[in-house]
Amino acid sequence: MSIFKGKFITFEGIDGCGKSTQVKLLIDALNRSENKTILVREPGGTTISEEIRDILLHRHLEDICDRTEALLMTGSRAQLTYEIIQPNLSAGINVIADRYTDSTLAYQGGGRNIELEWLIQLNRFATYNLEPNVTFFVDILPEEASRRKSQEKDRIERAGIDLQAKVRNAYLELVDRFQDRFVLINGHDTIENIHGSILLEIQRRHLFE
Ligand code: ADP
Ligand code: TYD
């Protein structure tokens, strides 16, 4: 049982799966129906977290080691949770996050082979034990995601299809492990259909009643 008045919804998936598109549509729909909702994206979202994002994605630090990557991702998350997510949820404002804890489990766990149980503990520490009310995993084949993405690739995206395939498999395992929280969405469907099924699932779970 959450102590917060606002609802916390997260979106997950490999790079280019279409989650930012869906996040924007959902925020607009919720705000139209007077469920005040804000967007955050990871890594980033606060001054400190954006600085961390810059180190992680935009500098050419190919020699960053896997554990440093995991610590910086969760460091960015701790600041975002403390500064933005918790205060908004306390005030009854809903928060939608474009990536959250499961990205660390899928990318640093599945992608970089760091032991999952460590990352779960690290996430608990970084989030002050906050868990999303629901997580939408937008599933798509890495080849299709790569076709959709522009040529502008960040450091992690440049690691290529093999990494994305490992990350996707890790997500599928998470969906299986955390069945109550996860909703599996077929990312190959049209933008409108996907948006429709997300709204239906939110209704089905009585999130806003
Ligand atoms: P992500 O945030 O997961 O990286 P985006 O939402 O930015 O993905 O989508 C990546 C690209 O694919 C964008 O050009 C977007 O317009 C397009 N796109 C998103 N959803 C779909 C879809 N269901 N079918 C076809 N193209 C899509
Ligand atoms: P971003 O440009 O936000 O990508 P996308 O639009 O696909 O979400 O870049 C975020 C990148 O960081 C993406 O490749 C996933 C990766 N990432 C991790 O590896 N671990 C994490 O914990 C998070 C939040 C993101």
Side-chain angles (χ1 to χ4, degrees):
M1 225 341 232
S2 170
I3 53 165
F4 295 112
K5 285 186 277 172
K7 297 290 186 252
F8 183 33
I9 300 174
T10 61
F11 277 76
E12 296 283 353
I14 63 172
D15 302 295
C17 68
K19 69 194 153 36
S20 307
T21 305
Q22 294 303 327
V23 163
K24 287 192 199 90
L25 290 172
L26 181 58
I27 289 202
D28 288 348
L30 290 177
N31 281 321
R32 268 198 311 274
S33 60
E34 308 207 341
N35 289 298
K36 195 161 179 231
T37 306
I38 62 154
L39 160 70
V40 296
R41 67 154 189 185
E42 283 212 335
T46 69
T47 308
I48 290 168
S49 308
E50 288 293 329
E51 293 270 337
I52 298 175
R53 179 184 177 90
D54 196 42
I55 296 173
L56 277 164
L57 301 181
H58 300 308
R59 301 206 193 143
H60 287 254
L61 299 173
E62 306 298 343
D63 55 353
I64 193 166
C65 80
D66 296 347
R67 291 184 185 203
T68 304
E69 188 176 84
L71 288 165
L72 289 177
M73 291 292 180
T74 47
S76 161
R77 178 163 308 132
Q79 193 69 30
L80 180 71
T81 305
Y82 181 78
E83 235 184 86
I84 309 281
I85 301 178
Q86 280 184 338
N88 275 283
L89 293 177
S90 295
I93 297 167
N94 309 301
V95 178
I96 299 188
D98 189 340
R99 299 195 177 284
Y100 200 59
T101 42
D102 300 301
S103 285
T104 303
L105 304 184
Y107 283 79
Q108 281 64 55
R112 310 284 198 216
N113 295 323
I114 297 178
E115 203 181 307
L116 213 56
E117 300 313 314
W118 277 354
L119 296 174
I120 288 173
Q121 291 302 328
L122 206 50
N123 271 334
R124 284 203 181 119
F125 182 67
T127 60
Y128 302 75
N129 286 321
L130 175 69
E131 282 190 14
N133 295 94
V134 60
T135 299
F136 291 100
F137 168 54
V138 183
D139 187 32
I140 188 175
L141 290 170
E143 292 75 14
E144 171 63 13
S146 171
R147 268 195 293 277
R148 286 183 191 175
K149 270 275 173 183
S150 71
Q151 295 308 304
E152 284 282 307
K153 288 191 161 55
D154 63 40
R155 186 181 58 80
I156 292 175
E157 286 163 357
R158 284 198 301 275
I161 297 260
D162 289 353
L163 175 72
Q164 299 296 326
K166 283 167 78 178
V167 170
R168 175 176 179 244
N169 287 336
Y171 270 127
L172 288 169
E173 281 172 25
L174 293 175
V175 173
D176 208 41
R177 177 163 171 176
F178 303 108
Q179 289 183 14
D180 291 347
R181 175 165 62 83
F182 264 103
V183 180
L184 178 69
I185 298 284
N186 174 12
H188 294 270
D189 208 341
T190 64
I191 291 176
E192 294 71 26
N193 284 351
I194 295 175
H195 178 54
S197 31
I198 288 169
L199 289 180
L200 267 182
E201 184 61 30
I202 283 176
Q203 271 174 9
R204 200 183 66 79
R205 288 177 181 243
H206 304 291
L207 272 194
F208 296 104
E209 284 164 16

